[in-house]
Amino acid sequence: MKKITIITFLLIIGFSHSFQAQFTQVELFSGFDKTDFTLYSSYAITKNQTLSLNTLAFFQKFTKENQEFDEIGVQPTLFWNVNKRIAIGPSIYYNSFAGYSNRISAKFAVQNSRIVFVIIPTVAHSQKKNASYAEAFAQFQFHIPINDRVSLWLNGQFLTVWDEFKTHSRSFQQLRAGSSFNQHQFGIGADFDQYGQKPIEKSSFGVYYRKTL
């Protein structure tokens, strides 16, 4: 199944590049306890940008003693952009823990020259569990330009998932602080992961590199 997912991940990347790119962001985080690679892209598929394809793909690998928490996720979402701040659309998500699920999400975004804030609430149905669940994802980015080439950055991503809308399943908090030089961003980071109804907690501290294409 992991081989199938990796192939799907590569196909999505290739498919995305057939459109005119608007936004692609890749990040590599590496610490003593885990390594995490994340790709996020957003591409308009209509000239008036009413429809867009948003793709999230990630691979998370822990050290040997915690390798049962290794995780792969791939999620393409077709968003109808109601306006510049609000979008809604369906997606199919594969996760190596939870299997496949059908989802519908709303996206609320606020941004200016220095701040980006996004929140995405989701309702979904898991094919593996044959049950519904709720999810909330939030992201913020804040930067302070020093000059034309150098900026200081603070980034955060937060997720929580609740099976049948009442039982905790999965959460994480990812924090990054660093600087960018000629659009290459790097710095220090911390990941906090929680799994299950009585959460098993995992923490990792390390360094990250992020590039926006």
Side-chain angles (χ1 to χ4, degrees):
M1 184 60 72
K2 285 189 177 182
K3 291 182 179 179
I4 294 174
T5 306
I6 292 171
I7 292 171
T8 304
F9 167 71
L10 295 174
L11 287 174
I12 288 172
I13 294 174
F15 180 66
S16 296
H17 281 288
S18 67
F19 298 107
Q20 182 179 358
Q22 286 191 328
F23 179 87
T24 299
Q25 186 178 84
V26 294
E27 180 187 284
L28 177 65
F29 170 81
S30 184
F32 293 109
D33 299 300
K34 77 169 184 177
T35 297
D36 185 53
F37 174 79
T38 304
L39 178 145
Y40 178 75
S41 64
S42 178
Y43 294 80
I45 59 177
T46 57
K47 290 184 178 180
N48 61 4
Q49 300 188 2
T50 302
L51 295 178
S52 63
L53 178 67
N54 290 242
T55 301
L56 171 67
F58 67 89
F59 173 73
Q60 175 179 280
K61 184 170 180 60
F62 281 85
T63 52
K64 187 175 181 180
E65 59 268 22
N66 290 310
Q67 63 184 5
E68 68 270 21
F69 295 103
D70 290 355
E71 190 174 6
I72 295 172
V74 181
Q75 178 182 307
T77 304
L78 182 64
F79 273 121
W80 171 50
N81 300 301
V82 179
N83 54 44
K84 291 183 178 180
R85 294 186 176 183
I86 301 173
I88 188 169
S91 65
I92 298 174
Y93 178 52
Y94 172 79
N95 181 279
S96 53
F97 277 120
Y100 288 93
S101 61
N102 304 312
R103 302 154 57 92
I104 186 164
S105 302
K107 180 172 70 172
F108 305 92
V110 177
Q111 67 180 76
N112 58 34
S113 60
R114 293 191 178 186
I115 298 173
V116 176
F117 177 74
V118 179
I119 184 168
I120 303 177
T122 297
V123 292
H125 184 270
S126 170
Q127 296 181 16
K128 183 177 181 179
K129 297 180 180 180
N130 192 27
S132 298
Y133 65 90
E135 176 183 302
F137 173 82
Q139 179 188 63
F140 76 84
Q141 298 182 31
F142 173 70
H143 79 282
I144 301 174
I146 303 301
N147 54 43
D148 291 341
R149 294 186 176 185
V150 179
S151 297
L152 300 179
W153 283 83
L154 182 64
N155 309 307
Q157 295 191 138
F158 310 90
L159 173 79
T160 185
V161 183
W162 292 78
D163 290 341
E164 298 181 346
F165 307 97
K166 60 183 180 180
T167 304
H168 179 268
S169 175
R170 174 77 165 98
S171 295
F172 68 66
Q173 302 82 42
Q174 299 175 346
L175 303 174
R176 308 285 186 263
S179 60
S180 65
F181 179 76
N182 284 344
Q183 299 183 349
H184 295 273
Q185 188 182 151
F186 50 88
I188 58 174
D191 281 11
F192 305 99
D193 296 282
Q194 300 88 38
Y195 303 86
Q197 183 176 358
K198 296 181 179 180
I200 300 172
E201 298 182 351
K202 299 292 177 183
S203 301
S204 182
F205 301 90
V207 296
Y208 80 96
Y209 169 78
R210 176 180 291 184
K211 172 67 175 176
T212 301
L213 306 174

